[in-house]
Amino acid sequence: QVQLVESGGGLVQAGDSLRLSCASSERSFSTYTVGWFRQAPGKERELVAGISRSGDSTYYSDSVKGRFTISRDNAKNTVYLQTNSLKGEDTAVYRCAAHRRLGEPIDKIPVYDYWGRGTQVTVSS
């Protein structure tokens, strides 16, 4: 069972930045595709960013493109989500998820097997 732990959330003002981290103790974490999801109260879960195993391919939703950047440090078994120019509508619980299904596109949501508990991001406007 792959365990994922998110950190870095908090309460910020509109226009501020946060760097979220998704850490795993899984020794083969570099073989997992990782995605960052968010869900606000009353809204559907949204995949906002994803990154391939090697980090050479990424995905961003239109709602965050140009403001968020996903990256990974496989030596540290950690995936990051740099969030800039935060807006009120970015307020949500952010969760990372991972899978190791070869050949599946980064933005195919149902294939993500392992999930963290999430970190709250609240943006005051």
Side-chain angles (χ1 to χ4, degrees):
Q1 183 77 6
V2 176
Q3 293 188 332
L4 305 173
V5 179
E6 303 93 337
S7 61
L11 172 62
V12 297
Q13 294 186 334
D16 285 350
S17 300
L18 284 172
R19 188 176 79 156
L20 309 184
S21 297
C22 171
S24 176
S25 59
E26 175 66 30
R27 296 180 66 180
S28 61
F29 193 53
S30 62
T31 65
Y32 288 79
T33 296
V34 178
W36 277 100
F37 294 77
R38 69 183 181 187
Q39 188 165 19
K43 294 188 177 180
E44 292 188 358
R45 185 176 58 195
E46 176 189 14
L47 172 64
V48 297
I51 191 165
S52 63
R53 293 174 293 167
S54 64
D56 58 358
S57 295
T58 57
Y59 163 86
Y60 297 97
S61 67
D62 289 341
S63 59
V64 307
K65 197 171 295 182
R67 299 187 299 122
F68 290 12
T69 302
I70 190 170
S71 62
R72 69 189 301 160
D73 184 340
N74 284 336
K76 295 183 178 180
N77 290 344
T78 302
V79 171
Y80 304 98
L81 185 68
Q82 179 67 40
T83 67
N84 297 331
S85 303
L86 285 164
K87 307 175 183 179
E89 51 262 44
D90 294 320
T91 295
V93 174
Y94 285 71
R95 301 175 70 187
C96 63
H99 75 82
R100 200 165 54 173
R101 305 188 190 209
L102 297 179
E104 296 289 358
I106 296 172
D107 61 342
K108 187 174 180 180
I109 295 174
V111 304
Y112 284 89
D113 296 312
Y114 307 102
W115 293 80
R117 292 189 174 184
T119 185
Q120 175 71 45
V121 172
T122 303
V123 184
S124 63
S125 50

